[in-house]
């Protein structure tokens, strides 16, 4: 199964992606983790993206897409992926679909982890990761999410590939809710391939 997790900073997207990857035996691919790893290792790519990540701005599409191509193809060969953090704009969703469709690698279902913004701010301030979680940058990352990522949900809704989960609940409950919402999708996909 090929799943995209969509959620604001502070929505628990990374945690839910890890839990899902364990429950469903799918490869977890986080664009944010891969980018932070390049920055930490000071690779050529890391040096190009460092200032974007530090500001909470989106890294240019071509860089993210090049970085993800190989891991995505590998994950598809192994049965599927949980994509966490990519695509995150309508433009990325369209471009990714364009290249992934022929490879049988396109997203089959997008899961929106929906958390009210007051709760997001509370969680992010409590977390205070240090590097990109100062008050101003938190606010900026939430603005970028609202302006660029939320419109992408309409794209998946129009394709009838969107599932919404109330993600203000505790971690375990959210995970169970995601699993139960995905079950009918999984069955439907299975029927359509048999
Ligand atoms: P995340 O951990 O998903 O919140 O991502 C952390 C940071 O990495 C973001 O604030 C962006 O600077 C960058 N980033 C992650 N994914 C993408 C993407 N799909 N497109 C552009 N920038 C991204």
């Amino acid at each position: 199964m090929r799943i995209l997790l969509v959620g604001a900073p502070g929505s628990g997207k990374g945690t839910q992606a890890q839990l899902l990857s364990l429950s469903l035996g799918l490869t977890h691919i986080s664009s944010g983790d891969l980018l932070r790893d390049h920055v930490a290792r000071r690779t050529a790519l890391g040096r190009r993206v460092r200032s974007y990540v530090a500001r909470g701005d989106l890294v240019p599409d071509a860089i993210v897409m090049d970085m993800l191509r190989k891991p995505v193809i590998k994950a598809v060969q192994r049965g599927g992926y949980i994509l966490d953090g990519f695509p995150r704009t309508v433009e990325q969703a369209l471009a990714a679909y364009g290249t992934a469709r022929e490879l049988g690698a396109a997203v089959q279902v997008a899961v929106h982890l929906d958390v009210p913004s007051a709760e997001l701010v509370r969680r992010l301030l409590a977390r205070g990761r240090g590097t990109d979680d100062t008050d101003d940058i938190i606010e900026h990352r939430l603005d970028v999410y609202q302006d660029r990522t939320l419109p992408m949900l309409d794209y998946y809704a129009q394709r009838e590939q969107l599932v919404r989960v109330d993600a203000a609940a505790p971690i375990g409950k959210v995970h169970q809710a995601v699993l139960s919402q995905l079950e009918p999708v999984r069955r439907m996909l299975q029927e359509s391939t048999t």
Side-chain angles (χ1 to χ4, degrees):
M1 202 166 171
R2 301 184 300 275
I3 301 168
L4 165 64
L5 271 194
V6 186
S11 63
K13 177 169 57 82
T15 305
Q16 293 299 330
Q18 277 172 6
L19 291 173
L20 257 192
S21 101
L22 289 174
S23 294
L24 301 177
L26 299 170
T27 307
H28 173 204
I29 302 175
S30 160
S31 51
D33 284 353
L34 290 172
L35 288 166
R36 279 185 289 273
D37 183 56
H38 275 282
V39 172
R41 288 190 292 119
R42 296 190 168 82
T43 63
L45 193 153
R47 286 196 295 272
R48 284 168 72 196
V49 303
R50 193 170 62 98
S51 60
Y52 294 96
V53 175
R55 288 194 304 267
D57 280 332
L58 296 179
V59 167
D61 292 354
I63 298 181
V64 185
M65 292 191 60
D66 282 351
M67 178 184 77
L68 291 175
R69 189 164 292 119
K70 272 191 197 155
V72 166
I73 290 172
K74 205 162 154 186
V76 170
Q77 287 163 351
R78 292 179 176 170
Y81 56 65
I82 315 281
L83 266 182
D84 157 6
F86 175 90
R88 81 207 265 149
T89 65
V90 173
E91 293 82 358
Q92 288 184 359
L94 290 168
Y97 182 68
T99 46
R101 188 186 32 186
E102 284 157 36
L103 299 167
V107 168
Q108 293 171 307
V109 57
V111 178
H112 175 205
L113 298 175
D114 200 3
V115 179
S117 48
E119 172 65 9
L120 290 175
V121 174
R122 195 192 63 74
R123 289 184 186 181
L124 286 164
L125 291 175
R127 186 163 85 186
R129 195 164 48 201
T131 48
D132 55 358
D133 280 356
T134 66
D135 292 10
D136 284 352
I137 292 177
I138 288 172
E139 212 171 291
H140 182 59
R141 292 173 76 213
L142 290 172
D143 285 347
V144 170
Y145 177 77
Q146 285 232 328
D147 296 347
R148 309 294 310 278
T149 306
L150 278 183
M152 184 185 74
L153 294 177
D154 292 337
Y155 168 81
Y156 288 104
Q158 276 161 23
R159 303 183 65 99
E160 298 182 18
Q161 290 179 320
L162 184 68
V163 162
R164 195 195 75 86
V165 175
D166 172 8
I171 291 171
K173 271 203 168 163
V174 174
H175 179 53
Q176 287 309 320
V178 174
L179 284 178
S180 63
Q181 295 245 46
L182 283 175
E183 185 50 28
V185 179
R186 193 186 62 78
R187 257 183 274 134
M188 202 182 64
L189 291 170
Q190 220 167 28
E191 278 162 22
S192 68
T193 54
T194 50

